[in-house]
Amino acid sequence: MEGVIDAHTRDLLTRRPGFDWTVTEFVRVVDARLPPRVFLRHCPELDGNVTTPSHVPVVLQLLGSDPAALAANAVQARKLGARAIDLNFGCPAKLVNRHDGGASLLRDPRRVHAVVAAVHQAVGSEIPVTAKIRLGFSHRRLALDCAKAAEDGGATQLVVHARTRDEGYRPPAHWEWIGRIRRHLRIPVVANGDIWSLEDYWKARTLSGCRDVMLGRGALADPWLAPRIRHWLETGEQLPTTPWQVRASTLAEFAALQRSTLPDRVVTSLVKQWLSHMRQRDAEADLRFQAVKRINDLDTLLAGLACEREERGHSRFEPA
Ligand SMILES: Cc1cc2nc3c(=O)[nH]c(=O)nc-3n(C[C@H](O)[C@H](O)[C@H](O)COP(=O)(O)O)c2cc1C
């Protein structure tokens, strides 16, 4: 997720078993072949086995609209060690769409096909090429055509975020639409959108018929969501609600990792960004967020997250 999930986040989220694979933020391709440093910035794991430290594979994602430029960059990424390329046809950002990238290609399935086919022809015999779509740009009428275009172009897997571009991130996600697509495709289809809990997971699986799901914001809101799903699948038992101390120590480790390369000022806002994802679904995280949101010193912020909180919403912690 652009601006949110980087190599450190991938590392932390995959330390407990749960994820089968992860994807980088998109690397935006306009027309030129990008220098290696751009790929390495988005995917530092290229320097090693292209996995997280817990050996979960990392897939490199490209976003663009020019088939030849995407193919050339896919070749570049493969030379740098990429083990799979994912193509983004889902980004709803106005700037990206204005420049004809992300979900804007869903208005014409032929363009989806052209991009996937070009990248597949360039690298598909060596590494898998996968695709991620939404249900359409402003309507769903082309959803199946776009999905088939990706498959016919050579995609080996398709992730479907069950909303149109115009629906942004507004609930609900139309999981049953993923099922309609899945029934017409031969390649594996992965369900995505609004999976925040074990119950959502099961509902998305049931309505879509997909064996696999992709987690986005839900995994940030609850770093135990993927392990929770895995544990339940393997044992039939439910893990307890993720305790605040687990969230706090995840944020503290995140800060420590980020601090090795970024100034404290930036790390402070990254920690608050992750906390604000947690607070969407957790009352304790929301109280903590309210207590620390104006703190600008990283150590003071981390102390505020780690301290014990007294009842009635008052933190024992008083910022200096
Ligand atoms: C801030 C933000 C950045 C995102 N960046 C990307 C991205 O770079 N590549 C991508 O495929 N999806 C990206 N997404 C979309 C998510 O991967 C996911 O498809 C979407 O949020 C729906 O799933 P969720 O409800 O589980 O979050 C982004 C979403 C958000 C909120």
Side-chain angles (χ1 to χ4, degrees):
M1 287 168 62
E2 200 221 357
V4 186
I5 297 196
D6 62 3
H8 294 318
T9 324
R10 287 192 284 276
D11 169 10
L12 289 167
L13 289 176
T14 56
R15 286 187 184 180
R16 294 189 65 162
F19 284 101
D20 298 311
W21 42 273
T22 62
V23 191
T24 64
E25 306 167 77
F26 63 75
V27 176
R28 180 124 173 251
V29 172
V30 182
D31 46 15
R33 207 172 64 167
L34 297 164
R37 69 183 146 75
V38 175
F39 292 95
L40 286 160
R41 192 173 66 232
H42 286 79
C43 185
E45 294 94 338
L46 285 170
D47 249 349
N49 285 337
V50 210
T51 67
T52 69
S54 310
H55 310 292
V56 177
V58 179
V59 175
L60 188 108
Q61 188 180 71
L62 301 180
L63 175 149
S65 56
D66 178 342
L70 284 159
N73 280 284
V75 170
Q76 171 86 313
R78 192 211 11 96
K79 281 189 191 146
L80 291 167
R83 296 221 228 139
I85 301 284
D86 186 52
L87 296 166
N88 180 320
F89 299 102
C91 182
K94 281 205 175 87
L95 183 69
V96 168
N97 294 164
R98 241 195 336 265
H99 290 92
D100 205 21
S104 69
L105 274 78
L106 299 175
R107 287 187 275 217
D108 184 350
R110 288 170 305 183
R111 299 193 66 202
V112 173
H113 182 273
V115 164
V116 179
V119 174
H120 174 66
Q121 275 158 27
V123 298
S125 58
E126 290 154 77
I127 55 173
V129 176
T130 60
K132 173 145 180 261
I133 62 169
R134 285 181 174 243
L135 294 177
F137 193 82
S138 46
H139 59 76
R140 299 176 209 146
R141 291 193 291 280
L142 295 174
L144 182 56
D145 290 344
C146 286
K148 282 189 151 177
E151 179 178 76
D152 292 345
T156 55
Q157 175 188 269
L158 183 72
V159 176
V160 182
H161 176 186
R163 292 185 183 90
T164 63
R165 180 266 179 199
D166 285 354
E167 287 170 327
Y169 295 94
R170 278 192 311 279
H174 310 286
W175 295 318
E176 69 287 357
W177 268 81
I178 307 178
R180 289 182 199 180
I181 291 171
R182 183 191 55 76
R183 282 192 284 280
H184 289 89
L185 261 56
R186 297 177 303 275
I187 56 174
V189 173
V190 177
N192 170 240
D194 269 356
I195 298 172
W196 300 94
S197 64
L198 191 54
E199 292 71 27
D200 292 339
Y201 161 75
W202 189 245
K203 218 166 152 188
R205 254 193 82 160
T206 309
L207 287 177
S208 69
C210 295
R211 201 179 62 97
D212 292 313
V213 303
M214 173 178 272
L215 304 177
R217 294 163 300 164
L220 288 170
D222 177 2
W224 274 12
L225 181 55
R228 182 182 305 290
I229 293 170
R230 172 73 59 90
H231 186 79
W232 181 72
L233 285 172
E234 286 176 355
T235 67
E237 288 163 13
Q238 297 200 24
L239 285 177
T241 309
T242 307
W244 167 253
Q245 286 317 324
V246 166
R247 295 171 197 271
S249 65
T250 304
L251 293 172
E253 284 184 84
F254 177 65
L257 290 169
Q258 298 288 10
R259 235 176 178 174
S260 60
T261 50
L262 296 172
D264 277 11
R265 172 181 50 81
V266 178
V267 180
T268 302
S269 57
L270 289 175
V271 171
K272 285 185 191 172
Q273 176 174 258
W274 194 343
L275 178 61
S276 85
H277 278 277
M278 290 180 179
R279 75 189 267 256
Q280 309 297 325
R281 302 277 151 173
D282 182 72
E284 177 67 30
D286 189 36
L287 287 169
R288 299 286 178 154
F289 181 81
Q290 299 304 338
V292 302
K293 66 182 176 191
R294 291 201 177 78
I295 295 175
N296 293 321
D297 175 70
L298 181 56
D299 289 316
T300 316
L301 170 70
L302 294 173
L305 298 179
C307 73
E308 280 183 37
R309 194 175 57 78
E310 287 178 353
E311 287 310 308
R312 289 189 308 234
H314 295 295
S315 172
R316 263 187 226 163
F317 169 77
E318 294 292 340

